[in-house]
Amino acid sequence: MAVTASTLIGIAGALTLGSPASAHHSVVKVTAECDTAAGEWVTTWTVNSYAPEGVHNYRFAKAEATSVVNGTATPFTVDGIAVSEPGVYPHPVSTPVVGNARLSGDATEASLTVKAQWDNEWNEKDDSSASIKFSESCDKVVTPPPAAANPKATVTADCDGDGDVAVKLENGAEATRDAAFTVTGTDGFTKTATVAAGKDTTITVPARNAARITVTEAGQKAPIFDAKPATAKDCVAPGEPTGSIKMTCDALIFQVENPKDGKTVTVTLTPNKGDAQTLVVKPGETRTATFKAVEGLTVTPRADGLDDASPIAWEKPAKCTSPNPSTPPAGGGAGGPALPKTGAPAGLIAGGAAALLAAGAVLFVVARRRRIRFTA
């Protein structure tokens, strides 16, 4: 019994003396996440402290952190976990201490070692540490900027007098998405267009809807153009094509001459007898159409801008009339000498005058003007 009692007393004493050592200790944990925007590891370190009842605070007597990059160990600091001055115990035992550190994306491992001292001046016997190994690198991922269009609208007032307005819509070649345009005019006019990068298209706004024009693009906060189109200025009329007529004894001939600074014109000539003919005359060209002369022939011209579209009748020139060979010439008997011709040839003059008057008729006027551009 004495031996047994002595043994129990010894064990109790050992437990009493050993309890402070087992009760004072720290536990370190670590987690990590890859920040792809920066290409860095974000490590989070947590230290929990344990001490007997009655011990309230502690300090770090040791706090050492190391990372390994390309086989080389490099120290780093952990925000919130650092050595405190002796006698200063900033950390409550009941609250975990959490610190963070950013590490290079190519780090392969990292570790943190601490040793605590409590406000009862008890020192942690052994270091407490935690480490982490990275199985892969944390690479920076470049996020492309949001797709954007580079829209542009050019509003062109028309010089031809019809009042229509051309709206040219463009999307810059550097754009990373299609441009979605909406063109709005007055009295309910609305049209949309989608323009790919580096392309353009044109929308015509009729004169009745062009009092005010608004151009918007889906990705833009403000309208690209929002105003009344300016009046066209410095409009210059190009050369005008001219038409002339020639009447011969057996044909009615129309000729259209277009100057080099003119615009391609089309003239349709429709006779009352026979098939119609069409003349397409480009700038700098001259074209003719010939109709066989018959009694009662008329030809009606048609063309854009034609001033007078009245039918033109063929008239037989006076020079086509000749004396009957079987009729004796005036002033002499059969076989006698002819009298000399005196005075002006009245019939020839009359025929020539009619031809000159016909040649002076103007068939049409086609106007083309230079445009003025207004850029939003």
Side-chain angles (χ1 to χ4, degrees), residues 159-212:
C159 278
D160 61 11
D162 60 9
D164 292 350
V165 175
V167 181
K168 184 178 181 181
L169 307 173
E170 303 174 78
N171 192 9
E174 68 280 8
T176 54
R177 68 167 176 83
D178 293 348
F181 291 97
T182 299
V183 179
T184 305
T186 54
D187 297 331
F189 177 89
T190 299
K191 279 193 175 182
T192 60
T194 300
V195 181
K199 302 295 182 180
D200 63 79
T201 188
T202 299
I203 291 178
T204 299
V205 180
R208 63 181 179 277
N209 305 115
R212 187 179 187 87

mmCIF file of all heavy atoms in Angstrom, residues 159-212:
data_model
loop_
_atom_site.group_PDB
_atom_site.id
_atom_site.type_symbol
_atom_site.label_atom_id
_atom_site.label_comp_id
_atom_site.label_asym_id
_atom_site.label_seq_id
_atom_site.Cartn_x
_atom_site.Cartn_y
_atom_site.Cartn_z
ATOM 1 N N CYS A 159 -26.843 68.773 -103.520
ATOM 2 C CA CYS A 159 -26.861 69.978 -104.340
ATOM 3 C C CYS A 159 -27.868 69.918 -105.483
ATOM 4 O O CYS A 159 -28.068 70.909 -106.175
ATOM 5 C CB CYS A 159 -25.470 70.227 -104.940
ATOM 6 S SG CYS A 159 -24.327 71.050 -103.815
ATOM 7 N N ASP A 160 -28.473 68.728 -105.718
ATOM 8 C CA ASP A 160 -29.299 68.608 -106.920
ATOM 9 C C ASP A 160 -30.694 69.172 -106.748
ATOM 10 O O ASP A 160 -31.507 69.115 -107.667
ATOM 11 C CB ASP A 160 -29.375 67.147 -107.375
ATOM 12 C CG ASP A 160 -30.007 66.249 -106.321
ATOM 13 O OD1 ASP A 160 -30.566 66.787 -105.337
ATOM 14 O OD2 ASP A 160 -29.924 65.015 -106.476
ATOM 15 N N GLY A 161 -30.996 69.706 -105.563
ATOM 16 C CA GLY A 161 -32.262 70.394 -105.393
ATOM 17 C C GLY A 161 -33.404 69.528 -104.924
ATOM 18 O O GLY A 161 -34.487 70.054 -104.630
ATOM 19 N N ASP A 162 -33.226 68.198 -104.818
ATOM 20 C CA ASP A 162 -34.350 67.364 -104.391
ATOM 21 C C ASP A 162 -34.482 67.306 -102.872
ATOM 22 O O ASP A 162 -35.481 66.831 -102.342
ATOM 23 C CB ASP A 162 -34.235 65.947 -104.963
ATOM 24 C CG ASP A 162 -32.956 65.232 -104.528
ATOM 25 O OD1 ASP A 162 -32.245 65.772 -103.648
ATOM 26 O OD2 ASP A 162 -32.678 64.152 -105.067
ATOM 27 N N GLY A 163 -33.457 67.791 -102.131
ATOM 28 C CA GLY A 163 -33.544 67.876 -100.678
ATOM 29 C C GLY A 163 -33.181 66.617 -99.936
ATOM 30 O O GLY A 163 -33.147 66.617 -98.702
ATOM 31 N N ASP A 164 -32.934 65.492 -100.625
ATOM 32 C CA ASP A 164 -32.555 64.263 -99.945
ATOM 33 C C ASP A 164 -31.181 64.431 -99.291
ATOM 34 O O ASP A 164 -30.336 65.203 -99.768
ATOM 35 C CB ASP A 164 -32.512 63.093 -100.916
ATOM 36 C CG ASP A 164 -33.893 62.712 -101.434
ATOM 37 O OD1 ASP A 164 -34.877 63.235 -100.878
ATOM 38 O OD2 ASP A 164 -33.977 61.914 -102.381
ATOM 39 N N VAL A 165 -30.967 63.707 -98.188
ATOM 40 C CA VAL A 165 -29.709 63.807 -97.452
ATOM 41 C C VAL A 165 -29.090 62.416 -97.342
ATOM 42 O O VAL A 165 -29.766 61.453 -96.962
ATOM 43 C CB VAL A 165 -29.931 64.392 -96.043
ATOM 44 C CG1 VAL A 165 -28.641 64.370 -95.238
ATOM 45 C CG2 VAL A 165 -30.454 65.823 -96.142
ATOM 46 N N ALA A 166 -27.821 62.309 -97.691
ATOM 47 C CA ALA A 166 -27.097 61.040 -97.594
ATOM 48 C C ALA A 166 -26.345 60.984 -96.266
ATOM 49 O O ALA A 166 -25.606 61.903 -95.922
ATOM 50 C CB ALA A 166 -26.124 60.888 -98.759
ATOM 51 N N VAL A 167 -26.552 59.902 -95.500
ATOM 52 C CA VAL A 167 -25.865 59.696 -94.221
ATOM 53 C C VAL A 167 -24.922 58.502 -94.389
ATOM 54 O O VAL A 167 -25.364 57.364 -94.494
ATOM 55 C CB VAL A 167 -26.857 59.440 -93.078
ATOM 56 C CG1 VAL A 167 -26.103 59.247 -91.766
ATOM 57 C CG2 VAL A 167 -27.848 60.595 -92.964
ATOM 58 N N LYS A 168 -23.632 58.787 -94.436
ATOM 59 C CA LYS A 168 -22.635 57.732 -94.583
ATOM 60 C C LYS A 168 -22.210 57.257 -93.199
ATOM 61 O O LYS A 168 -21.780 58.046 -92.358
ATOM 62 C CB LYS A 168 -21.419 58.243 -95.360
ATOM 63 C CG LYS A 168 -20.381 57.160 -95.637
ATOM 64 C CD LYS A 168 -19.215 57.718 -96.450
ATOM 65 C CE LYS A 168 -18.181 56.635 -96.741
ATOM 66 N NZ LYS A 168 -17.037 57.164 -97.513
ATOM 67 N N LEU A 169 -22.327 55.950 -92.954
ATOM 68 C CA LEU A 169 -22.010 55.346 -91.666
ATOM 69 C C LEU A 169 -20.747 54.504 -91.802
ATOM 70 O O LEU A 169 -20.673 53.646 -92.685
ATOM 71 C CB LEU A 169 -23.180 54.483 -91.178
ATOM 72 C CG LEU A 169 -24.547 55.189 -91.142
ATOM 73 C CD1 LEU A 169 -25.645 54.185 -90.812
ATOM 74 C CD2 LEU A 169 -24.537 56.329 -90.132
ATOM 75 N N GLU A 170 -19.770 54.740 -90.935
ATOM 76 C CA GLU A 170 -18.493 54.036 -91.020
ATOM 77 C C GLU A 170 -18.125 53.427 -89.666
ATOM 78 O O GLU A 170 -18.501 53.955 -88.617
ATOM 79 C CB GLU A 170 -17.380 54.993 -91.454
ATOM 80 C CG GLU A 170 -17.632 55.686 -92.780
ATOM 81 C CD GLU A 170 -16.568 56.725 -93.091
ATOM 82 O OE1 GLU A 170 -15.463 56.324 -93.516
ATOM 83 O OE2 GLU A 170 -16.837 57.917 -92.892
ATOM 84 N N ASN A 171 -17.363 52.333 -89.714
ATOM 85 C CA ASN A 171 -16.812 51.714 -88.517
ATOM 86 C C ASN A 171 -15.318 51.541 -88.741
ATOM 87 O O ASN A 171 -14.896 50.918 -89.717
ATOM 88 C CB ASN A 171 -17.480 50.358 -88.243
ATOM 89 C CG ASN A 171 -17.154 49.814 -86.872
ATOM 90 O OD1 ASN A 171 -16.568 50.507 -86.033
ATOM 91 N ND2 ASN A 171 -17.517 48.575 -86.622
ATOM 92 N N GLY A 172 -14.506 52.118 -87.867
ATOM 93 C CA GLY A 172 -13.059 52.124 -88.054
ATOM 94 C C GLY A 172 -12.463 50.736 -88.161
ATOM 95 O O GLY A 172 -12.970 49.768 -87.583
ATOM 96 N N ALA A 173 -11.363 50.638 -88.894
ATOM 97 C CA ALA A 173 -10.709 49.339 -89.099
ATOM 98 C C ALA A 173 -10.199 48.748 -87.800
ATOM 99 O O ALA A 173 -10.065 47.527 -87.672
ATOM 100 C CB ALA A 173 -9.559 49.499 -90.097
ATOM 101 N N GLU A 174 -9.923 49.597 -86.794
ATOM 102 C CA GLU A 174 -9.406 49.098 -85.518
ATOM 103 C C GLU A 174 -10.512 48.650 -84.570
ATOM 104 O O GLU A 174 -10.225 48.181 -83.452
ATOM 105 C CB GLU A 174 -8.560 50.184 -84.835
ATOM 106 C CG GLU A 174 -9.350 51.391 -84.349
ATOM 107 C CD GLU A 174 -9.678 52.384 -85.454
ATOM 108 O OE1 GLU A 174 -9.432 52.071 -86.640
ATOM 109 O OE2 GLU A 174 -10.180 53.460 -85.135
ATOM 110 N N ALA A 175 -11.758 48.768 -84.965
ATOM 111 C CA ALA A 175 -12.884 48.367 -84.109
ATOM 112 C C ALA A 175 -12.827 46.869 -83.829
ATOM 113 O O ALA A 175 -12.379 46.078 -84.669
ATOM 114 C CB ALA A 175 -14.200 48.733 -84.768
ATOM 115 N N THR A 176 -13.304 46.479 -82.637
ATOM 116 C CA THR A 176 -13.303 45.070 -82.261
ATOM 117 C C THR A 176 -14.706 44.472 -82.245
ATOM 118 O O THR A 176 -14.891 43.345 -81.798
ATOM 119 C CB THR A 176 -12.656 44.893 -80.872
ATOM 120 O OG1 THR A 176 -13.307 45.758 -79.922
ATOM 121 C CG2 THR A 176 -11.173 45.252 -80.925
ATOM 122 N N ARG A 177 -15.667 45.227 -82.707
ATOM 123 C CA ARG A 177 -17.020 44.693 -82.859
ATOM 124 C C ARG A 177 -17.742 45.481 -83.940
ATOM 125 O O ARG A 177 -17.296 46.563 -84.358
ATOM 126 C CB ARG A 177 -17.810 44.766 -81.549
ATOM 127 C CG ARG A 177 -18.159 46.175 -81.089
ATOM 128 C CD ARG A 177 -19.206 46.147 -79.980
ATOM 129 N NE ARG A 177 -19.503 47.467 -79.453
ATOM 130 C CZ ARG A 177 -20.345 48.323 -80.001
ATOM 131 N NH1 ARG A 177 -20.963 48.011 -81.131
ATOM 132 N NH2 ARG A 177 -20.567 49.503 -79.455
ATOM 133 N N ASP A 178 -18.867 44.938 -84.416
ATOM 134 C CA ASP A 178 -19.685 45.638 -85.391
ATOM 135 C C ASP A 178 -20.311 46.874 -84.746
ATOM 136 O O ASP A 178 -20.574 46.890 -83.533
ATOM 137 C CB ASP A 178 -20.798 44.730 -85.918
ATOM 138 C CG ASP A 178 -20.258 43.573 -86.734
ATOM 139 O OD1 ASP A 178 -19.063 43.610 -87.079
ATOM 140 O OD2 ASP A 178 -21.029 42.627 -87.014
ATOM 141 N N ALA A 179 -20.546 47.880 -85.554
ATOM 142 C CA ALA A 179 -21.224 49.091 -85.080
ATOM 143 C C ALA A 179 -22.701 48.993 -85.457
ATOM 144 O O ALA A 179 -23.039 48.716 -86.611
ATOM 145 C CB ALA A 179 -20.598 50.337 -85.704
ATOM 146 N N ALA A 180 -23.560 49.202 -84.474
ATOM 147 C CA ALA A 180 -25.012 49.122 -84.686
ATOM 148 C C ALA A 180 -25.578 50.537 -84.704
ATOM 149 O O ALA A 180 -25.742 51.174 -83.659
ATOM 150 C CB ALA A 180 -25.669 48.289 -83.597
ATOM 151 N N PHE A 181 -25.865 51.044 -85.906
ATOM 152 C CA PHE A 181 -26.332 52.420 -86.079
ATOM 153 C C PHE A 181 -27.861 52.472 -86.148
ATOM 154 O O PHE A 181 -28.511 51.543 -86.632
ATOM 155 C CB PHE A 181 -25.783 53.016 -87.376
ATOM 156 C CG PHE A 181 -24.305 53.262 -87.371
ATOM 157 C CD1 PHE A 181 -23.441 52.335 -87.936
ATOM 158 C CD2 PHE A 181 -23.775 54.419 -86.839
ATOM 159 C CE1 PHE A 181 -22.077 52.561 -87.955
ATOM 160 C CE2 PHE A 181 -22.409 54.654 -86.849
ATOM 161 C CZ PHE A 181 -21.555 53.724 -87.414
ATOM 162 N N THR A 182 -28.395 53.602 -85.697
ATOM 163 C CA THR A 182 -29.802 53.936 -85.913
ATOM 164 C C THR A 182 -29.861 55.364 -86.425
ATOM 165 O O THR A 182 -29.331 56.289 -85.790
ATOM 166 C CB THR A 182 -30.624 53.816 -84.620
ATOM 167 O OG1 THR A 182 -30.564 52.469 -84.148
ATOM 168 C CG2 THR A 182 -32.080 54.181 -84.869
ATOM 169 N N VAL A 183 -30.493 55.549 -87.584
ATOM 170 C CA VAL A 183 -30.651 56.872 -88.189
ATOM 171 C C VAL A 183 -32.121 57.263 -88.072
ATOM 172 O O VAL A 183 -32.998 56.549 -88.552
ATOM 173 C CB VAL A 183 -30.209 56.880 -89.666
ATOM 174 C CG1 VAL A 183 -30.411 58.257 -90.277
ATOM 175 C CG2 VAL A 183 -28.747 56.454 -89.777
ATOM 176 N N THR A 184 -32.369 58.394 -87.428
ATOM 177 C CA THR A 184 -33.736 58.853 -87.192
ATOM 178 C C THR A 184 -33.933 60.223 -87.825
ATOM 179 O O THR A 184 -33.096 61.117 -87.659
ATOM 180 C CB THR A 184 -34.032 58.930 -85.682
ATOM 181 O OG1 THR A 184 -33.756 57.669 -85.090
ATOM 182 C CG2 THR A 184 -35.484 59.303 -85.436
ATOM 183 N N GLY A 185 -35.040 60.360 -88.554
ATOM 184 C CA GLY A 185 -35.408 61.643 -89.131
ATOM 185 C C GLY A 185 -36.740 62.112 -88.571
ATOM 186 O O GLY A 185 -37.269 61.545 -87.615
ATOM 187 N N THR A 186 -37.301 63.140 -89.155
ATOM 188 C CA THR A 186 -38.592 63.650 -88.704
ATOM 189 C C THR A 186 -39.735 62.823 -89.297
ATOM 190 O O THR A 186 -39.542 62.046 -90.229
ATOM 191 C CB THR A 186 -38.752 65.119 -89.116
ATOM 192 O OG1 THR A 186 -38.539 65.231 -90.534
ATOM 193 C CG2 THR A 186 -37.732 65.997 -88.404
ATOM 194 N N ASP A 187 -40.906 63.001 -88.695
ATOM 195 C CA ASP A 187 -42.132 62.330 -89.165
ATOM 196 C C ASP A 187 -41.996 60.808 -89.168
ATOM 197 O O ASP A 187 -42.474 60.123 -90.078
ATOM 198 C CB ASP A 187 -42.529 62.828 -90.560
ATOM 199 C CG ASP A 187 -42.866 64.312 -90.575
ATOM 200 O OD1 ASP A 187 -43.329 64.806 -89.518
ATOM 201 O OD2 ASP A 187 -42.655 64.972 -91.597
ATOM 202 N N GLY A 188 -41.315 60.273 -88.144
ATOM 203 C CA GLY A 188 -41.284 58.828 -87.959
ATOM 204 C C GLY A 188 -40.269 58.069 -88.775
ATOM 205 O O GLY A 188 -40.274 56.833 -88.777
ATOM 206 N N PHE A 189 -39.363 58.751 -89.464
ATOM 207 C CA PHE A 189 -38.363 58.037 -90.270
ATOM 208 C C PHE A 189 -37.313 57.404 -89.359
ATOM 209 O O PHE A 189 -36.698 58.077 -88.531
ATOM 210 C CB PHE A 189 -37.681 58.988 -91.248
ATOM 211 C CG PHE A 189 -36.585 58.327 -92.062
ATOM 212 C CD1 PHE A 189 -36.876 57.718 -93.262
ATOM 213 C CD2 PHE A 189 -35.274 58.305 -91.596
ATOM 214 C CE1 PHE A 189 -35.878 57.105 -94.005
ATOM 215 C CE2 PHE A 189 -34.268 57.692 -92.330
ATOM 216 C CZ PHE A 189 -34.578 57.091 -93.534
ATOM 217 N N THR A 190 -37.086 56.098 -89.496
ATOM 218 C CA THR A 190 -36.056 55.382 -88.740
ATOM 219 C C THR A 190 -35.508 54.240 -89.590
ATOM 220 O O THR A 190 -36.272 53.481 -90.183
ATOM 221 C CB THR A 190 -36.607 54.800 -87.422
ATOM 222 O OG1 THR A 190 -37.083 55.855 -86.602
ATOM 223 C CG2 THR A 190 -35.517 54.057 -86.660
ATOM 224 N N LYS A 191 -34.203 54.139 -89.634
ATOM 225 C CA LYS A 191 -33.549 53.021 -90.302
ATOM 226 C C LYS A 191 -32.341 52.605 -89.470
ATOM 227 O O LYS A 191 -31.681 53.436 -88.847
ATOM 228 C CB LYS A 191 -33.112 53.377 -91.721
ATOM 229 C CG LYS A 191 -34.221 53.293 -92.749
ATOM 230 C CD LYS A 191 -33.672 53.343 -94.163
ATOM 231 C CE LYS A 191 -34.781 53.144 -95.197
ATOM 232 N NZ LYS A 191 -34.239 53.156 -96.579
ATOM 233 N N THR A 192 -32.060 51.303 -89.470
ATOM 234 C CA THR A 192 -30.912 50.775 -88.738
ATOM 235 C C THR A 192 -29.930 50.135 -89.714
ATOM 236 O O THR A 192 -30.308 49.706 -90.811
ATOM 237 C CB THR A 192 -31.349 49.735 -87.690
ATOM 238 O OG1 THR A 192 -32.017 48.657 -88.354
ATOM 239 C CG2 THR A 192 -32.281 50.366 -86.668
ATOM 240 N N ALA A 193 -28.683 50.061 -89.285
ATOM 241 C CA ALA A 193 -27.644 49.431 -90.109
ATOM 242 C C ALA A 193 -26.553 48.893 -89.200
ATOM 243 O O ALA A 193 -26.183 49.537 -88.212
ATOM 244 C CB ALA A 193 -27.065 50.430 -91.106
ATOM 245 N N THR A 194 -26.037 47.718 -89.532
ATOM 246 C CA THR A 194 -24.914 47.122 -88.815
ATOM 247 C C THR A 194 -23.705 47.139 -89.739
ATOM 248 O O THR A 194 -23.760 46.609 -90.852
ATOM 249 C CB THR A 194 -25.236 45.681 -88.387
ATOM 250 O OG1 THR A 194 -26.390 45.700 -87.524
ATOM 251 C CG2 THR A 194 -24.066 45.066 -87.641
ATOM 252 N N VAL A 195 -22.615 47.751 -89.271
ATOM 253 C CA VAL A 195 -21.431 47.943 -90.105
ATOM 254 C C VAL A 195 -20.240 47.248 -89.455
ATOM 255 O O VAL A 195 -19.909 47.507 -88.294
ATOM 256 C CB VAL A 195 -21.134 49.448 -90.292
ATOM 257 C CG1 VAL A 195 -19.920 49.642 -91.193
ATOM 258 C CG2 VAL A 195 -22.351 50.160 -90.872
ATOM 259 N N ALA A 196 -19.607 46.365 -90.198
ATOM 260 C CA ALA A 196 -18.439 45.637 -89.688
ATOM 261 C C ALA A 196 -17.230 46.561 -89.636
ATOM 262 O O ALA A 196 -17.213 47.639 -90.244
ATOM 263 C CB ALA A 196 -18.153 44.435 -90.587
ATOM 264 N N ALA A 197 -16.194 46.144 -88.907
ATOM 265 C CA ALA A 197 -14.975 46.931 -88.788
ATOM 266 C C ALA A 197 -14.362 47.168 -90.166
ATOM 267 O O ALA A 197 -14.240 46.254 -90.970
ATOM 268 C CB ALA A 197 -13.971 46.215 -87.884
ATOM 269 N N GLY A 198 -13.990 48.419 -90.431
ATOM 270 C CA GLY A 198 -13.374 48.785 -91.699
ATOM 271 C C GLY A 198 -14.343 48.920 -92.855
ATOM 272 O O GLY A 198 -13.908 49.100 -93.993
ATOM 273 N N LYS A 199 -15.645 48.859 -92.587
ATOM 274 C CA LYS A 199 -16.646 48.942 -93.650
ATOM 275 C C LYS A 199 -17.496 50.204 -93.488
ATOM 276 O O LYS A 199 -17.413 50.909 -92.485
ATOM 277 C CB LYS A 199 -17.551 47.704 -93.648
ATOM 278 C CG LYS A 199 -16.797 46.386 -93.803
ATOM 279 C CD LYS A 199 -16.124 46.284 -95.154
ATOM 280 C CE LYS A 199 -15.429 44.942 -95.315
ATOM 281 N NZ LYS A 199 -14.761 44.826 -96.640
ATOM 282 N N ASP A 200 -18.322 50.483 -94.502
ATOM 283 C CA ASP A 200 -19.235 51.617 -94.428
ATOM 284 C C ASP A 200 -20.480 51.334 -95.247
ATOM 285 O O ASP A 200 -20.496 50.425 -96.085
ATOM 286 C CB ASP A 200 -18.562 52.907 -94.925
ATOM 287 C CG ASP A 200 -18.175 52.826 -96.399
ATOM 288 O OD1 ASP A 200 -19.064 52.992 -97.262
ATOM 289 O OD2 ASP A 200 -16.985 52.598 -96.696
ATOM 290 N N THR A 201 -21.512 52.088 -94.990
ATOM 291 C CA THR A 201 -22.754 51.995 -95.750
ATOM 292 C C THR A 201 -23.412 53.369 -95.732
ATOM 293 O O THR A 201 -23.073 54.219 -94.896
ATOM 294 C CB THR A 201 -23.701 50.923 -95.170
ATOM 295 O OG1 THR A 201 -24.802 50.739 -96.051
ATOM 296 C CG2 THR A 201 -24.238 51.354 -93.808
ATOM 297 N N THR A 202 -24.342 53.601 -96.646
ATOM 298 C CA THR A 202 -25.001 54.906 -96.741
ATOM 299 C C THR A 202 -26.509 54.739 -96.682
ATOM 300 O O THR A 202 -27.074 53.872 -97.351
ATOM 301 C CB THR A 202 -24.610 55.624 -98.045
ATOM 302 O OG1 THR A 202 -23.190 55.839 -98.058
ATOM 303 C CG2 THR A 202 -25.316 56.982 -98.150
ATOM 304 N N ILE A 203 -27.138 55.565 -95.861
ATOM 305 C CA ILE A 203 -28.603 55.611 -95.754
ATOM 306 C C ILE A 203 -29.067 56.967 -96.274
ATOM 307 O O ILE A 203 -28.529 58.008 -95.883
ATOM 308 C CB ILE A 203 -29.060 55.407 -94.300
ATOM 309 C CG1 ILE A 203 -28.793 53.964 -93.862
ATOM 310 C CG2 ILE A 203 -30.540 55.744 -94.140
ATOM 311 C CD1 ILE A 203 -29.168 53.680 -92.432
ATOM 312 N N THR A 204 -30.044 56.958 -97.183
ATOM 313 C CA THR A 204 -30.586 58.193 -97.729
ATOM 314 C C THR A 204 -31.850 58.582 -96.974
ATOM 315 O O THR A 204 -32.782 57.790 -96.856
ATOM 316 C CB THR A 204 -30.911 58.033 -99.228
ATOM 317 O OG1 THR A 204 -29.703 57.716 -99.930
ATOM 318 C CG2 THR A 204 -31.476 59.328 -99.792
ATOM 319 N N VAL A 205 -31.859 59.788 -96.456
ATOM 320 C CA VAL A 205 -33.024 60.316 -95.752
ATOM 321 C C VAL A 205 -33.787 61.220 -96.716
ATOM 322 O O VAL A 205 -33.226 62.209 -97.193
ATOM 323 C CB VAL A 205 -32.606 61.101 -94.496
ATOM 324 C CG1 VAL A 205 -33.834 61.639 -93.761
ATOM 325 C CG2 VAL A 205 -31.771 60.228 -93.567
ATOM 326 N N PRO A 206 -35.040 60.890 -97.037
ATOM 327 C CA PRO A 206 -35.808 61.726 -97.968
ATOM 328 C C PRO A 206 -35.952 63.151 -97.453
ATOM 329 O O PRO A 206 -35.914 63.405 -96.239
ATOM 330 C CB PRO A 206 -37.171 61.015 -98.033
ATOM 331 C CG PRO A 206 -36.899 59.614 -97.600
ATOM 332 C CD PRO A 206 -35.805 59.712 -96.585
ATOM 333 N N ALA A 207 -36.143 64.087 -98.377
ATOM 334 C CA ALA A 207 -36.238 65.502 -98.021
ATOM 335 C C ALA A 207 -37.333 65.759 -96.992
ATOM 336 O O ALA A 207 -37.167 66.566 -96.076
ATOM 337 C CB ALA A 207 -36.485 66.331 -99.281
ATOM 338 N N ARG A 208 -38.449 65.033 -97.112
ATOM 339 C CA ARG A 208 -39.568 65.280 -96.199
ATOM 340 C C ARG A 208 -39.255 64.858 -94.762
ATOM 341 O O ARG A 208 -39.949 65.263 -93.826
ATOM 342 C CB ARG A 208 -40.816 64.536 -96.693
ATOM 343 C CG ARG A 208 -40.679 63.020 -96.712
ATOM 344 C CD ARG A 208 -41.938 62.352 -97.221
ATOM 345 N NE ARG A 208 -41.816 60.901 -97.275
ATOM 346 C CZ ARG A 208 -41.269 60.228 -98.260
ATOM 347 N NH1 ARG A 208 -40.777 60.894 -99.317
ATOM 348 N NH2 ARG A 208 -41.200 58.904 -98.235
ATOM 349 N N ASN A 209 -38.198 64.042 -94.581
ATOM 350 C CA ASN A 209 -37.836 63.572 -93.243
ATOM 351 C C ASN A 209 -36.508 64.152 -92.762
ATOM 352 O O ASN A 209 -35.988 63.725 -91.728
ATOM 353 C CB ASN A 209 -37.721 62.048 -93.221
ATOM 354 C CG ASN A 209 -38.969 61.353 -93.705
ATOM 355 O OD1 ASN A 209 -38.940 60.678 -94.729
ATOM 356 N ND2 ASN A 209 -40.074 61.522 -93.001
ATOM 357 N N ALA A 210 -35.955 65.108 -93.501
ATOM 358 C CA ALA A 210 -34.590 65.562 -93.231
ATOM 359 C C ALA A 210 -34.514 66.900 -92.506
ATOM 360 O O ALA A 210 -33.455 67.520 -92.476
ATOM 361 C CB ALA A 210 -33.801 65.639 -94.542
ATOM 362 N N ALA A 211 -35.619 67.339 -91.889
ATOM 363 C CA ALA A 211 -35.560 68.601 -91.153
ATOM 364 C C ALA A 211 -34.571 68.515 -89.998
ATOM 365 O O ALA A 211 -33.892 69.485 -89.665
ATOM 366 C CB ALA A 211 -36.951 68.976 -90.641
ATOM 367 N N ARG A 212 -34.488 67.347 -89.384
ATOM 368 C CA ARG A 212 -33.493 67.082 -88.339
ATOM 369 C C ARG A 212 -33.135 65.609 -88.389
ATOM 370 O O ARG A 212 -34.017 64.763 -88.520
ATOM 371 C CB ARG A 212 -34.030 67.456 -86.957
ATOM 372 C CG ARG A 212 -32.959 67.360 -85.854
ATOM 373 C CD ARG A 212 -33.512 67.754 -84.495
ATOM 374 N NE ARG A 212 -32.470 67.811 -83.489
ATOM 375 C CZ ARG A 212 -31.713 68.864 -83.218
ATOM 376 N NH1 ARG A 212 -31.918 69.984 -83.908
ATOM 377 N NH2 ARG A 212 -30.778 68.840 -82.291
#
